[in-house]
Amino acid sequence: KIDENDEWAELACSDVHSSGGLWKEVSIETSGPVEFVMTDGNGKYDKSPEEGNYTIPGPGVYRLDNHRVLPPPEGPIFMVVSDLDGTMVGDDATTLR
């Protein structure tokens, strides 16, 4: 739920496909700060460490991790490749072209 013009609006979260259902996401169109709470839909609410509602300062990408609103992780994006059958990546006729 988000506080929009002093009225709570309920937004549905969707699964982040690459997380196998462990992460949820929601997109909110806003130009200013947003106050929000997380609920299980059955009356149980998650609170910030200060025992209040969560807030974000404005547009951007954020994550809620261990009861704290944080920016996304920083650092380079990389891929880990494992050699399971004894052929190294790029060690065949197709990738050597």
Side-chain angles (χ1 to χ4, degrees), residues 3-64:
D3 187 7
E4 205 172 64
N5 301 321
D6 292 326
E7 293 184 27
W8 288 100
E10 198 163 322
L11 301 175
C13 295
S14 56
D15 287 341
V16 175
H17 298 290
S18 62
S19 75
L22 296 175
W23 287 76
K24 305 288 184 189
E25 68 180 352
V26 65
S27 294
I28 303 168
E29 291 187 32
T30 183
S31 60
V34 174
E35 181 178 357
F36 68 98
V37 295
M38 301 298 291
T39 177
D40 65 358
N42 296 313
K44 185 177 178 186
Y45 290 87
D46 179 53
K47 296 182 179 277
S48 72
E50 294 79 29
E51 294 297 312
N53 299 337
Y54 294 103
T55 58
I56 57 173
V61 176
Y62 302 91
R63 64 187 169 114
L64 184 59

Side-chain angles (χ1 to χ4, degrees), residues 1 21 23 26 34 36 53 58 64 66 73 77 81 83-84 95:
K1 293 184 176 185
W23 287 76
V26 65
V34 174
F36 68 98
N53 299 337
L64 184 59
N66 200 22
I77 297 173
V81 178
D83 177 20
L84 298 177
T95 58

